[in-house]
Amino acid sequence: MAGEVRYDLSRFVEEGLNSDPQLAETRFGAQSKQDKIAQLKAEAILPTFYVGMMVGSAPGLRDEIDNGDTTEVYDFSKMGPYWGVQARFVQPLNLGQYRAGKAALEADLEQKNFEIEHQVHKKDVELQTYYYNYLLAKEMIRIAADAQKQVDNAYEKMEEALDDDDPSVSQMDLLNLKAKMHTVKEGVSEANLGMKRVLLAIRFALNMRDEDTFASEDSVLTPRSERLPSLEEVRDITFRNHPELKQLNAGLRARRLQMDLAEAKLAPEFFVMGEVEYVKSWAGNRSIMQKDAFSEDAVNKLTGAVGFGLRYNLNFWKNWEKFRAAKTDYRGLQLKEGYAANGLIAKAEEQYYIVQSAKEKMDAMKESLRASEAILKGAAMQYDLDKSKTGDLVSAYTQNVSMQKDYYFAVCKYNVEFAQLISKMGLSLKDFQSNLIKK
Protein backbone atom coordinates (compact mmCIF):
# COMPACT_ATOMS: atom_id res chain seq x y z
CA MET A 1 0.00 0.00 0.00
CA ALA A 2 1.21 3.48 -0.77
CA GLY A 3 2.05 5.76 2.10
CA GLU A 4 4.62 7.95 3.79
CA VAL A 5 7.86 6.23 4.74
CA ARG A 6 9.87 7.87 7.52
CA TYR A 7 13.61 7.37 7.88
CA ASP A 8 16.28 8.38 10.30
CA LEU A 9 19.86 8.67 9.03
CA SER A 10 20.93 5.09 9.83
CA ARG A 11 17.83 3.49 8.35
CA PHE A 12 17.97 5.70 5.26
CA VAL A 13 21.61 4.75 4.57
CA GLU A 14 20.93 1.05 5.17
CA GLU A 15 17.88 1.03 2.90
CA GLY A 16 19.77 2.98 0.27
CA LEU A 17 22.67 0.51 0.27
CA ASN A 18 20.23 -2.39 -0.11
CA SER A 19 18.04 -0.77 -2.77
CA ASP A 20 20.39 1.28 -4.94
CA PRO A 21 20.39 -0.31 -8.44
CA GLN A 22 23.90 0.85 -9.31
CA LEU A 23 25.34 -0.69 -6.14
CA ALA A 24 23.51 -3.96 -6.85
CA GLU A 25 25.17 -4.00 -10.29
CA THR A 26 28.57 -3.46 -8.65
CA ARG A 27 28.03 -6.35 -6.23
CA PHE A 28 27.05 -8.60 -9.12
CA GLY A 29 30.55 -8.17 -10.54
CA ALA A 30 31.95 -10.51 -7.88
CA GLN A 31 29.72 -13.35 -9.06
CA SER A 32 31.80 -13.96 -12.20
CA LYS A 33 34.92 -14.48 -10.08
CA GLN A 34 33.00 -16.86 -7.83
CA ASP A 35 31.94 -18.79 -10.94
CA LYS A 36 35.57 -19.14 -12.02
CA ILE A 37 36.41 -20.85 -8.73
CA ALA A 38 33.48 -23.24 -9.17
CA GLN A 39 34.60 -23.90 -12.77
CA LEU A 40 38.15 -24.70 -11.63
CA LYS A 41 36.84 -27.12 -9.00
CA ALA A 42 34.67 -28.86 -11.58
CA GLU A 43 37.58 -29.20 -13.98
CA ALA A 44 39.84 -30.56 -11.26
CA ILE A 45 37.44 -33.42 -10.49
CA LEU A 46 37.35 -34.77 -14.06
CA PRO A 47 38.42 -32.26 -16.70
CA THR A 48 37.91 -34.59 -19.72
CA PHE A 49 35.18 -37.21 -19.73
CA TYR A 50 33.38 -38.60 -22.76
CA VAL A 51 30.62 -41.21 -22.93
CA GLY A 52 28.89 -42.40 -26.09
CA MET A 53 26.13 -44.99 -26.50
CA MET A 54 24.37 -46.51 -29.50
CA VAL A 55 21.47 -48.94 -29.97
CA GLY A 56 20.27 -50.57 -33.15
CA SER A 57 20.29 -53.89 -34.97
CA ALA A 58 23.26 -56.08 -35.92
CA PRO A 59 23.63 -59.08 -38.22
CA GLY A 60 23.84 -62.58 -36.86
CA LEU A 61 26.65 -65.09 -37.48
CA ARG A 62 26.81 -68.42 -39.27
CA ASP A 63 29.54 -70.99 -39.66
CA GLU A 64 31.15 -71.59 -43.04
CA ILE A 65 33.80 -74.13 -44.05
CA ASP A 66 36.59 -72.73 -46.19
CA ASN A 67 39.42 -75.11 -47.12
CA GLY A 68 38.54 -77.29 -44.18
CA ASP A 69 38.51 -74.42 -41.70
CA THR A 70 35.31 -73.32 -39.97
CA THR A 71 34.86 -69.56 -39.82
CA GLU A 72 32.10 -67.24 -38.64
CA VAL A 73 30.64 -64.86 -41.19
CA TYR A 74 27.88 -62.25 -40.95
CA ASP A 75 24.37 -63.47 -41.62
CA PHE A 76 22.23 -60.47 -42.56
CA SER A 77 19.14 -62.62 -42.81
CA LYS A 78 19.18 -63.04 -39.06
CA MET A 79 19.27 -59.55 -37.54
CA GLY A 80 19.11 -58.90 -33.79
CA PRO A 81 19.29 -56.06 -31.23
CA TYR A 82 22.57 -54.33 -30.60
CA TRP A 83 23.86 -52.06 -27.79
CA GLY A 84 27.23 -50.45 -27.35
CA VAL A 85 28.92 -47.96 -25.01
CA GLN A 86 32.29 -46.19 -25.11
CA ALA A 87 33.84 -44.07 -22.35
CA ARG A 88 37.08 -42.11 -22.25
CA PHE A 89 38.63 -39.95 -19.54
CA VAL A 90 41.77 -37.91 -18.92
CA GLN A 91 42.63 -36.86 -15.37
CA PRO A 92 45.57 -34.46 -14.89
CA LEU A 93 47.73 -35.01 -11.86
CA ASN A 94 49.09 -31.45 -11.63
CA LEU A 95 47.74 -30.91 -8.11
CA GLY A 96 50.17 -28.06 -7.49
CA GLN A 97 48.76 -26.06 -10.40
CA TYR A 98 45.23 -26.66 -9.17
CA ARG A 99 46.03 -25.48 -5.64
CA ALA A 100 47.92 -22.41 -6.86
CA GLY A 101 45.18 -21.54 -9.35
CA LYS A 102 42.42 -21.98 -6.77
CA ALA A 103 44.28 -19.86 -4.20
CA ALA A 104 44.92 -17.15 -6.82
CA LEU A 105 41.24 -17.03 -7.79
CA GLU A 106 40.19 -16.86 -4.13
CA ALA A 107 42.61 -13.99 -3.51
CA ASP A 108 41.31 -12.24 -6.62
CA LEU A 109 37.74 -12.66 -5.34
CA GLU A 110 38.77 -11.25 -1.97
CA GLN A 111 40.35 -8.28 -3.75
CA LYS A 112 37.10 -7.71 -5.65
CA ASN A 113 35.09 -7.83 -2.42
CA PHE A 114 37.29 -5.13 -0.87
CA GLU A 115 36.86 -3.04 -4.01
CA ILE A 116 33.09 -3.39 -3.65
CA GLU A 117 33.37 -2.45 0.03
CA HIS A 118 35.18 0.75 -0.99
CA GLN A 119 32.39 1.53 -3.46
CA VAL A 120 29.84 0.90 -0.71
CA HIS A 121 31.59 3.47 1.50
CA LYS A 122 31.41 6.03 -1.32
CA LYS A 123 27.70 5.32 -1.73
CA ASP A 124 27.37 5.60 2.05
CA VAL A 125 28.68 9.18 1.89
CA GLU A 126 26.42 9.95 -1.05
CA LEU A 127 23.34 8.76 0.83
CA GLN A 128 24.26 10.78 3.93
CA THR A 129 24.67 13.82 1.70
CA TYR A 130 21.17 13.26 0.30
CA TYR A 131 19.73 13.03 3.81
CA TYR A 132 21.37 16.21 5.09
CA ASN A 133 20.58 18.09 1.89
CA TYR A 134 16.95 17.09 2.39
CA LEU A 135 17.00 18.54 5.92
CA LEU A 136 18.77 21.64 4.57
CA ALA A 137 16.08 22.08 1.92
CA LYS A 138 13.42 21.82 4.64
CA GLU A 139 15.15 24.55 6.64
CA MET A 140 15.50 26.76 3.57
CA ILE A 141 11.79 26.34 2.79
CA ARG A 142 10.91 27.21 6.39
CA ILE A 143 13.17 30.28 6.42
CA ALA A 144 11.92 31.45 3.02
CA ALA A 145 8.28 30.95 4.00
CA ASP A 146 8.82 32.81 7.28
CA ALA A 147 10.59 35.65 5.47
CA GLN A 148 7.76 35.86 2.97
CA LYS A 149 5.23 36.00 5.79
CA GLN A 150 7.10 38.65 7.76
CA VAL A 151 7.68 40.86 4.73
CA ASP A 152 4.03 40.56 3.71
CA ASN A 153 2.96 41.55 7.24
CA ALA A 154 5.34 44.52 7.24
CA TYR A 155 4.08 45.55 3.81
CA GLU A 156 0.43 45.44 4.99
CA LYS A 157 1.23 47.45 8.16
CA MET A 158 3.06 50.09 6.17
CA GLU A 159 0.16 50.39 3.75
CA GLU A 160 -2.23 50.79 6.70
CA ALA A 161 0.07 53.43 8.22
CA LEU A 162 0.15 55.35 4.92
CA ASP A 163 -3.64 55.16 4.66
CA ASP A 164 -3.85 56.55 8.19
CA ASP A 165 -1.43 59.35 7.24
CA ASP A 166 1.09 58.23 9.84
CA PRO A 167 3.93 60.84 9.64
CA SER A 168 6.54 58.25 10.68
CA VAL A 169 6.03 56.26 7.47
CA SER A 170 6.72 57.57 4.00
CA GLN A 171 5.99 56.31 0.53
CA MET A 172 9.73 55.85 0.05
CA ASP A 173 9.82 53.35 2.96
CA LEU A 174 7.11 51.33 1.25
CA LEU A 175 8.94 51.39 -2.06
CA ASN A 176 12.21 50.29 -0.42
CA LEU A 177 10.44 47.36 1.20
CA LYS A 178 8.71 46.44 -2.04
CA ALA A 179 12.03 46.52 -3.89
CA LYS A 180 13.41 43.88 -1.50
CA MET A 181 10.47 41.50 -1.91
CA HIS A 182 11.91 39.95 -5.11
CA THR A 183 14.85 38.64 -3.07
CA VAL A 184 12.46 36.84 -0.73
CA LYS A 185 10.52 35.35 -3.64
CA GLU A 186 13.75 34.15 -5.24
CA GLY A 187 14.68 32.46 -1.96
CA VAL A 188 11.34 30.65 -1.86
CA SER A 189 11.78 29.49 -5.45
CA GLU A 190 15.36 28.27 -4.84
CA ALA A 191 14.31 26.41 -1.69
CA ASN A 192 11.50 24.60 -3.51
CA LEU A 193 13.84 23.73 -6.39
CA GLY A 194 16.42 22.33 -3.95
CA MET A 195 13.79 20.13 -2.33
CA LYS A 196 12.62 18.76 -5.69
CA ARG A 197 16.16 17.92 -6.77
CA VAL A 198 17.13 16.12 -3.59
CA LEU A 199 13.85 14.18 -3.55
CA LEU A 200 14.56 12.93 -7.06
CA ALA A 201 17.95 11.60 -5.92
CA ILE A 202 16.42 10.02 -2.80
CA ARG A 203 13.63 8.30 -4.73
CA PHE A 204 16.16 6.84 -7.17
CA ALA A 205 18.48 5.66 -4.38
CA LEU A 206 15.64 3.98 -2.46
CA ASN A 207 13.98 2.68 -5.64
CA MET A 208 10.69 4.13 -4.39
CA ARG A 209 7.38 3.80 -6.19
CA ASP A 210 5.60 6.83 -7.61
CA GLU A 211 2.87 6.65 -5.00
CA ASP A 212 5.28 6.57 -2.03
CA THR A 213 6.43 9.71 -0.26
CA PHE A 214 9.62 10.27 1.72
CA ALA A 215 9.89 11.91 5.13
CA SER A 216 12.71 12.14 7.67
CA GLU A 217 12.50 11.34 11.36
CA ASP A 218 14.54 14.49 12.05
CA SER A 219 12.44 17.62 11.86
CA VAL A 220 15.34 20.09 11.93
CA LEU A 221 18.91 20.16 10.69
CA THR A 222 21.33 19.90 13.62
CA PRO A 223 25.05 19.13 13.88
CA ARG A 224 25.95 15.46 14.08
CA SER A 225 25.90 14.02 17.57
CA GLU A 226 28.78 11.55 17.02
CA ARG A 227 32.04 12.25 18.79
CA LEU A 228 34.76 13.49 16.50
CA PRO A 229 37.67 11.04 16.85
CA SER A 230 41.11 12.30 17.71
CA LEU A 231 43.82 12.57 15.08
CA GLU A 232 45.62 9.50 16.47
CA GLU A 233 42.39 7.52 16.28
CA VAL A 234 41.91 8.62 12.69
CA ARG A 235 45.37 7.42 11.74
CA ASP A 236 45.05 4.11 13.56
CA ILE A 237 41.56 3.32 12.24
CA THR A 238 42.62 4.14 8.68
CA PHE A 239 45.64 1.86 8.86
CA ARG A 240 43.63 -1.05 10.30
CA ASN A 241 40.37 -0.78 8.38
CA HIS A 242 40.74 0.94 5.02
CA PRO A 243 39.43 -1.43 2.30
CA GLU A 244 41.92 -0.12 -0.28
CA LEU A 245 44.80 -1.34 1.90
CA LYS A 246 43.08 -4.70 2.31
CA GLN A 247 42.46 -4.78 -1.43
CA LEU A 248 46.14 -4.10 -2.06
CA ASN A 249 47.20 -6.91 0.28
CA ALA A 250 44.78 -9.30 -1.41
CA GLY A 251 46.06 -8.16 -4.80
CA LEU A 252 49.66 -8.83 -3.74
CA ARG A 253 48.70 -12.32 -2.64
CA ALA A 254 46.82 -12.93 -5.89
CA ARG A 255 49.76 -11.73 -8.01
CA ARG A 256 52.21 -13.85 -6.02
CA LEU A 257 50.03 -16.92 -6.50
CA GLN A 258 49.61 -16.16 -10.19
CA MET A 259 53.39 -15.94 -10.43
CA ASP A 260 53.67 -19.34 -8.73
CA LEU A 261 51.08 -20.74 -11.12
CA ALA A 262 52.92 -19.40 -14.17
CA GLU A 263 56.13 -20.90 -12.83
CA ALA A 264 54.44 -24.26 -12.24
CA LYS A 265 53.20 -24.32 -15.83
CA LEU A 266 56.80 -24.29 -17.03
CA ALA A 267 57.14 -27.86 -15.74
CA PRO A 268 55.73 -30.92 -17.58
CA GLU A 269 52.20 -32.08 -16.76
CA PHE A 270 51.36 -35.63 -15.71
CA PHE A 271 48.00 -37.27 -16.28
CA VAL A 272 46.13 -40.55 -16.16
CA MET A 273 43.92 -41.60 -19.06
CA GLY A 274 41.64 -44.56 -19.70
CA GLU A 275 39.16 -45.97 -22.20
CA VAL A 276 36.46 -48.64 -21.99
CA GLU A 277 34.41 -50.02 -24.91
CA TYR A 278 31.68 -52.63 -24.57
CA VAL A 279 29.49 -53.98 -27.42
CA LYS A 280 26.80 -56.62 -27.04
CA SER A 281 24.61 -58.11 -29.78
CA TRP A 282 21.90 -60.66 -29.21
CA ALA A 283 22.07 -61.77 -32.85
CA GLY A 284 24.65 -64.45 -32.23
CA ASN A 285 25.08 -67.92 -33.74
CA ARG A 286 21.53 -69.05 -34.47
CA SER A 287 22.37 -72.65 -33.90
CA ILE A 288 23.49 -71.87 -30.34
CA MET A 289 22.04 -68.66 -28.92
CA GLN A 290 24.83 -66.89 -27.04
CA LYS A 291 23.64 -65.91 -23.57
CA ASP A 292 27.00 -64.96 -22.05
CA ALA A 293 26.98 -61.14 -21.71
CA PHE A 294 30.77 -60.94 -22.02
CA SER A 295 31.32 -63.40 -24.85
CA GLU A 296 33.42 -62.04 -27.72
CA ASP A 297 33.10 -62.69 -31.40
CA ALA A 298 33.04 -60.67 -34.61
CA VAL A 299 30.31 -58.42 -33.17
CA ASN A 300 30.56 -58.59 -29.38
CA LYS A 301 33.50 -56.78 -27.84
CA LEU A 302 34.86 -55.80 -24.45
CA THR A 303 38.07 -53.76 -24.44
CA GLY A 304 39.70 -51.30 -22.09
CA ALA A 305 42.93 -49.46 -21.44
CA VAL A 306 44.44 -47.32 -18.70
CA GLY A 307 47.74 -45.53 -18.69
CA PHE A 308 50.00 -42.90 -17.18
CA GLY A 309 51.11 -40.06 -19.42
CA LEU A 310 53.42 -37.07 -19.55
CA ARG A 311 52.71 -33.88 -21.51
CA TYR A 312 55.16 -31.10 -22.08
CA ASN A 313 54.22 -27.80 -23.69
CA LEU A 314 56.68 -27.17 -26.51
CA ASN A 315 55.76 -23.46 -26.56
CA PHE A 316 58.02 -22.82 -23.59
CA TRP A 317 58.66 -19.16 -24.32
CA LYS A 318 54.97 -18.28 -24.22
CA ASN A 319 54.66 -19.61 -20.67
CA TRP A 320 57.96 -17.94 -19.79
CA GLU A 321 56.59 -14.55 -20.87
CA LYS A 322 53.47 -15.14 -18.77
CA PHE A 323 55.72 -15.84 -15.79
CA ARG A 324 57.72 -12.64 -16.41
CA ALA A 325 54.51 -10.58 -16.74
CA ALA A 326 53.14 -11.97 -13.46
CA LYS A 327 56.46 -11.22 -11.76
CA THR A 328 56.44 -7.63 -13.07
CA ASP A 329 52.88 -7.05 -11.82
CA TYR A 330 53.85 -8.42 -8.42
CA ARG A 331 56.86 -6.13 -8.11
CA GLY A 332 54.75 -3.15 -9.17
CA LEU A 333 52.26 -3.83 -6.39
CA GLN A 334 55.12 -4.24 -3.93
CA LEU A 335 56.29 -0.72 -4.80
CA LYS A 336 52.75 0.59 -4.35
CA GLU A 337 52.51 -1.10 -0.96
CA GLY A 338 55.39 1.03 0.29
CA TYR A 339 53.51 4.31 -0.02
CA ALA A 340 49.82 3.32 -0.12
CA ALA A 341 49.31 3.28 3.64
CA ASN A 342 51.02 6.64 4.13
CA GLY A 343 49.02 8.16 1.30
CA LEU A 344 45.65 6.97 2.60
CA ILE A 345 46.49 8.04 6.15
CA ALA A 346 47.51 11.48 4.81
CA LYS A 347 44.15 11.80 3.01
CA ALA A 348 42.27 10.86 6.18
CA GLU A 349 44.35 13.34 8.18
CA GLU A 350 43.62 16.07 5.62
CA GLN A 351 39.89 15.31 5.89
CA TYR A 352 40.16 15.50 9.68
CA TYR A 353 41.49 19.06 9.38
CA ILE A 354 38.67 19.89 6.94
CA VAL A 355 36.11 18.64 9.47
CA GLN A 356 37.75 20.66 12.22
CA SER A 357 37.65 23.78 10.04
CA ALA A 358 34.00 23.15 9.15
CA LYS A 359 33.14 22.79 12.85
CA GLU A 360 34.95 26.01 13.75
CA LYS A 361 33.10 27.84 10.99
CA MET A 362 29.79 26.35 12.13
CA ASP A 363 30.40 27.40 15.73
CA ALA A 364 31.38 30.91 14.61
CA MET A 365 28.24 31.14 12.50
CA LYS A 366 26.18 30.08 15.51
CA GLU A 367 27.65 32.89 17.59
CA SER A 368 26.97 35.36 14.79
CA LEU A 369 23.40 34.07 14.50
CA ARG A 370 22.84 34.68 18.22
CA ALA A 371 24.16 38.23 17.81
CA SER A 372 21.91 38.73 14.79
CA GLU A 373 18.89 37.55 16.78
CA ALA A 374 19.76 40.04 19.54
CA ILE A 375 20.09 42.85 16.96
CA LEU A 376 16.71 41.85 15.50
CA LYS A 377 15.04 41.99 18.92
CA GLY A 378 16.55 45.41 19.55
CA ALA A 379 15.41 46.70 16.15
CA ALA A 380 11.89 45.35 16.80
CA MET A 381 11.75 47.18 20.14
CA GLN A 382 12.95 50.40 18.47
CA TYR A 383 10.32 49.99 15.77
CA ASP A 384 7.56 49.62 18.38
CA LEU A 385 8.68 52.93 19.88
CA ASP A 386 9.32 54.73 16.61
CA LYS A 387 7.68 53.65 13.36
CA SER A 388 10.21 55.63 11.40
CA LYS A 389 12.75 52.88 12.21
CA THR A 390 11.26 50.62 9.54
CA GLY A 391 14.46 50.56 7.51
CA ASP A 392 16.50 49.47 10.53
CA LEU A 393 14.00 46.70 11.29
CA VAL A 394 14.00 45.44 7.70
CA SER A 395 17.80 45.57 7.59
CA ALA A 396 18.09 43.64 10.87
CA TYR A 397 15.57 41.05 9.71
CA THR A 398 17.32 40.63 6.35
CA GLN A 399 20.63 40.17 8.14
CA ASN A 400 19.07 37.57 10.45
CA VAL A 401 17.59 35.60 7.56
CA SER A 402 20.95 35.66 5.77
CA MET A 403 22.71 34.47 8.95
CA GLN A 404 20.21 31.62 9.38
CA LYS A 405 20.83 30.54 5.82
CA ASP A 406 24.61 30.65 6.22
CA TYR A 407 24.42 28.79 9.53
CA TYR A 408 22.36 25.89 8.17
CA PHE A 409 24.61 25.63 5.15
CA ALA A 410 27.57 25.43 7.57
CA VAL A 411 25.81 22.70 9.58
CA CYS A 412 25.10 20.70 6.40
CA LYS A 413 28.71 21.09 5.24
CA TYR A 414 30.03 19.93 8.62
CA ASN A 415 27.77 16.86 8.61
CA VAL A 416 28.77 15.91 5.06
CA GLU A 417 32.49 16.47 5.70
CA PHE A 418 32.14 14.26 8.78
CA ALA A 419 30.64 11.56 6.54
CA GLN A 420 33.65 11.94 4.23
CA LEU A 421 35.98 11.47 7.19
CA ILE A 422 34.24 8.22 8.15
CA SER A 423 34.65 6.95 4.60
CA LYS A 424 38.32 7.95 4.35
CA MET A 425 39.00 6.11 7.59
CA GLY A 426 37.70 2.99 5.83
CA LEU A 427 34.47 2.61 7.80
CA SER A 428 30.81 2.56 6.95
CA LEU A 429 28.36 4.63 8.98
CA LYS A 430 27.09 1.48 10.67
CA ASP A 431 30.61 0.34 11.66
CA PHE A 432 31.52 3.82 12.89
CA GLN A 433 28.42 4.17 15.04
CA SER A 434 28.62 0.66 16.48
CA ASN A 435 32.35 0.67 17.27
CA LEU A 436 33.67 4.17 17.91
CA ILE A 437 30.70 5.66 19.72
CA LYS A 438 30.73 2.87 22.31
CA LYS A 439 34.28 3.71 23.34
Side-chain angles (χ1 to χ4, degrees), residues 110-179:
E110 185 180 11
Q111 177 187 3
K112 182 65 177 179
N113 288 332
F114 286 128
E115 179 185 350
I116 293 174
E117 182 182 349
H118 184 54
Q119 294 297 323
V120 169
H121 291 173
K122 288 184 177 179
K123 180 61 67 173
D124 198 290
V125 175
E126 183 180 333
L127 291 169
Q128 292 182 67
T129 304
Y130 291 160
Y131 187 82
Y132 288 121
N133 282 345
Y134 172 80
L135 294 178
L136 176 63
K138 285 182 64 176
E139 294 292 351
M140 293 301 102
I141 289 176
R142 180 186 62 79
I143 293 173
D146 182 65
Q148 181 75 61
K149 181 180 178 181
Q150 295 296 333
V151 171
D152 288 342
N153 290 337
Y155 189 78
E156 291 177 1
K157 289 181 179 179
M158 292 184 71
E159 283 187 326
E160 291 176 359
L162 286 174
D163 292 340
D164 295 338
D165 296 327
D166 190 337
S168 63
V169 179
S170 67
Q171 187 69 31
M172 187 60 67
D173 294 330
L174 183 64
L175 291 175
N176 287 333
L177 180 60
K178 191 174 183 178

Side-chain angles (χ1 to χ4, degrees), residues 381-426:
M381 293 174 62
Q382 291 292 329
Y383 178 76
D384 291 338
L385 297 175
D386 184 0
K387 298 299 183 182
S388 62
K389 300 292 185 179
T390 303
D392 294 340
L393 177 61
V394 172
S395 177
Y397 186 76
T398 303
Q399 182 186 23
N400 180 256
V401 170
S402 178
M403 290 301 302
Q404 287 188 66
K405 178 182 176 181
D406 292 343
Y407 171 70
Y408 283 114
F409 267 94
V411 172
C412 183
K413 179 175 176 58
Y414 168 74
N415 290 348
V416 172
E417 295 295 350
F418 199 113
Q420 288 282 4
L421 176 62
I422 295 174
S423 175
K424 291 189 177 182
M425 287 191 298

Side-chain angles (χ1 to χ4, degrees), residues 342-356:
N342 292 335
L344 291 173
I345 291 174
K347 287 183 178 180
E349 186 173 345
E350 178 187 14
Q351 186 62 33
Y352 175 80
Y353 295 137
I354 292 174
V355 173
Q356 273 192 329

Side-chain angles (χ1 to χ4, degrees), residues 27-79:
R27 289 194 180 103
F28 190 75
Q31 185 62 40
S32 61
K33 297 185 180 295
Q34 187 70 46
D35 293 341
K36 287 183 179 179
I37 297 178
Q39 180 183 358
L40 179 65
K41 291 180 179 178
E43 290 178 351
I45 296 173
L46 200 62
T48 304
F49 184 66
Y50 165 80
V51 176
M53 290 191 298
M54 187 178 71
V55 294
S57 59
L61 299 173
R62 69 172 184 270
D63 294 335
E64 285 190 356
I65 299 176
D66 185 15
N67 297 328
D69 295 329
T70 302
T71 60
E72 290 183 334
V73 298
Y74 291 118
D75 185 357
F76 289 94
S77 64
K78 298 177 181 179
M79 303 292 288

Side-chain angles (χ1 to χ4, degrees), residues 59-61 72 74 279-281 283-285 290 292 294-302:
L61 299 173
E72 290 183 334
Y74 291 118
V279 179
K280 174 62 178 175
S281 171
N285 191 325
Q290 184 56 260
D292 186 0
F294 297 102
S295 65
E296 296 191 28
D297 52 34
V299 177
N300 297 334
K301 184 189 302 184
L302 176 62

Side-chain angles (χ1 to χ4, degrees), residues 162-330:
L162 286 174
D163 292 340
D164 295 338
D165 296 327
D166 190 337
S168 63
V169 179
S170 67
Q171 187 69 31
M172 187 60 67
D173 294 330
L174 183 64
L175 291 175
N176 287 333
L177 180 60
K178 191 174 183 178
K180 295 181 179 179
M181 289 185 68
H182 78 280
T183 305
V184 176
K185 291 180 179 180
E186 287 179 2
V188 173
S189 178
E190 290 177 0
N192 290 329
L193 176 61
M195 177 60 76
K196 290 177 181 178
R197 294 177 65 180
V198 73
L199 279 177
L200 283 174
I202 288 174
R203 296 183 69 84
F204 178 79
L206 296 180
N207 200 18
M208 297 179 70
R209 301 174 299 176
D210 293 338
E211 58 269 24
D212 291 335
T213 57
F214 174 84
S216 63
E217 291 286 352
D218 298 305
S219 58
V220 294
L221 176 61
T222 58
R224 301 182 70 128
S225 59
E226 299 100 325
R227 175 180 66 85
L228 179 64
S230 66
L231 184 57
E232 288 302 319
E233 287 177 319
V234 169
R235 291 170 177 167
D236 182 62
I237 292 172
T238 303
F239 182 76
R240 289 187 292 105
N241 295 278
H242 206 287
E244 284 190 290
L245 287 177
K246 296 178 181 179
Q247 179 185 352
L248 178 59
N249 291 331
L252 275 169
R253 188 165 63 256
R255 292 294 186 275
R256 184 175 64 251
L257 291 168
Q258 288 174 357
M259 185 174 63
D260 295 342
L261 178 61
E263 185 178 12
K265 286 185 176 181
L266 296 175
E269 299 178 357
F270 298 93
F271 62 91
V272 175
M273 63 178 299
E275 180 179 9
V276 176
E277 183 177 1
Y278 175 64
V279 179
K280 174 62 178 175
S281 171
W282 285 266
N285 191 325
R286 293 304 178 181
S287 61
I288 302 175
M289 182 61 70
Q290 184 56 260
K291 296 182 179 180
D292 186 0
F294 297 102
S295 65
E296 296 191 28
D297 52 34
V299 177
N300 297 334
K301 184 189 302 184
L302 176 62
T303 60
V306 64
F308 179 78
L310 173 65
R311 179 173 59 189
Y312 193 84
N313 191 350
L314 294 179
N315 194 353
F316 172 83
W317 296 111
K318 180 179 180 181
N319 288 334
W320 174 254
E321 288 301 325
K322 288 182 179 179
F323 169 71
R324 287 184 58 187
K327 192 173 183 179
T328 301
D329 291 342
Y330 178 70

